Amino acid sequence: AALNALLEAHSNVHFTMDNCPNQVVLFGDEADIDDIQRKAVAEGAVCTRLPISWGYHTHFVGPMAEQFGKLFDGVSLKSSPVTLYSCATASPFPSDETSFRNTAVDQYVSRVRFTEAIEQLHEDGHSIFIECGPNANLTAFVRDILGSKPHIAESADNKRRGSISQLRHLLGRLFVAGVAMDPTAIMKQPASKGQKRREEVRLKQRTAPTLPS
């Protein structure tokens, strides 16, 4: 409600990203942003200026979105067992090619409705959220959005905990939740080129014909 009041008083400011109840991103002229920041801080908010020169998720990047849309030229849409959701619509991507493409392009110029998308996913029966990336920012967003609702939100990596420790933590959470998986796979290291070469030599030695003595 407080955010809506601030935006109503500054019609030229764009609400570009709704990450979670405790984090949003706005874009606008410096004077408008200064006024919003002053009023928001007075209400107890923590505000940070982002060093961004582009108005992402606004009409200002329309030309970029148009060029992005051209990447779909000649690309056919195939069915998938995975349902892909869009944060532009907070719902699954359309099944027909034209609407799918338009939704993908609209994501450049539309607000990121992450909060609504996560709420819709949860309402649709999804309760396990795994972040695949270099940190755990989105995981924190999901936890903030769903709060006390039954769910698991974990990341595959975490700078504070360390990559391997976090990955093992994730596997532990999933195992306890009853997710079918092979937890030993994390301990299997891919063979190096040298190891592969030695194995090939040993195989040739074992299968080589025996020479007469």
Side-chain angles (χ1 to χ4, degrees):
L3 176 62
N4 290 334
L6 290 174
L7 292 175
E8 288 176 1
H10 299 82
S11 58
N12 292 326
V13 172
H14 299 265
F15 183 4
T16 62
M17 301 181 72
D18 178 13
N19 291 335
C20 62
N22 282 298
Q23 187 182 103
V24 301
V25 178
L26 306 178
F27 176 82
D29 293 335
E30 187 172 1
D32 287 325
I33 295 298
D34 282 341
D35 189 50
I36 288 179
Q37 180 173 344
R38 178 177 56 80
K39 294 177 179 177
V41 170
E43 293 290 333
V46 176
C47 299
T48 302
R49 294 294 185 94
L50 301 178
I52 297 175
S53 58
W54 288 84
Y56 289 106
H57 306 296
T58 70
H59 67 274
F60 293 114
V61 293
M64 183 186 298
E66 292 178 6
Q67 293 302 312
F68 172 73
K70 294 179 181 180
L71 296 177
F72 290 91
D73 291 345
V75 178
S76 60
L77 186 65
K78 297 182 179 180
S79 60
S80 170
V82 178
T83 301
L84 183 65
Y85 282 66
S86 169
C87 281
T89 62
S91 61
F93 268 84
S95 56
D96 66 282
E97 290 191 19
T98 301
S99 298
F100 186 100
R101 172 176 174 166
N102 291 339
T103 300
V105 172
D106 285 344
Q107 292 185 138
Y108 268 90
V109 295
S110 302
R111 177 189 306 172
V112 177
R113 297 163 60 185
F114 191 74
T115 295
E116 294 175 73
I118 295 300
E119 290 175 338
Q120 187 62 55
L121 278 161
H122 193 269
E123 185 176 329
D124 291 345
H126 303 286
S127 59
I128 298 179
F129 299 84
I130 301 175
E131 178 177 356
C132 299
N135 209 349
N137 296 335
L138 299 183
T139 300
F141 294 165
V142 172
R143 291 172 179 170
D144 188 25
I145 293 167
L146 296 180
S148 60
K149 296 179 180 178
H151 74 282
I152 292 176
E154 289 291 349
S155 61
D157 196 359
N158 190 314
K159 292 180 179 179
R160 295 182 179 180
R161 179 173 280 158
S163 298
I164 299 300
S165 295
Q166 177 60 28
L167 188 56
R168 290 172 176 168
H169 172 77
L170 169 62
L171 291 176
R173 289 293 309 276
L174 296 178
F175 177 79
V176 172
V179 177
M181 60 180 172
D182 177 14
T184 63
I186 192 175
M187 305 305 296
K188 299 175 182 177
Q189 298 296 327
S192 64
K193 291 183 179 180
Q195 289 174 321
K196 291 181 179 179
R197 177 58 181 164
R198 287 191 292 272
E199 291 175 0
E200 291 172 356
V201 171
R202 293 192 188 102
L203 178 61
K204 290 181 179 180
Q205 289 174 341
R206 290 194 298 269
T207 57
T210 304
L211 297 175
S213 57

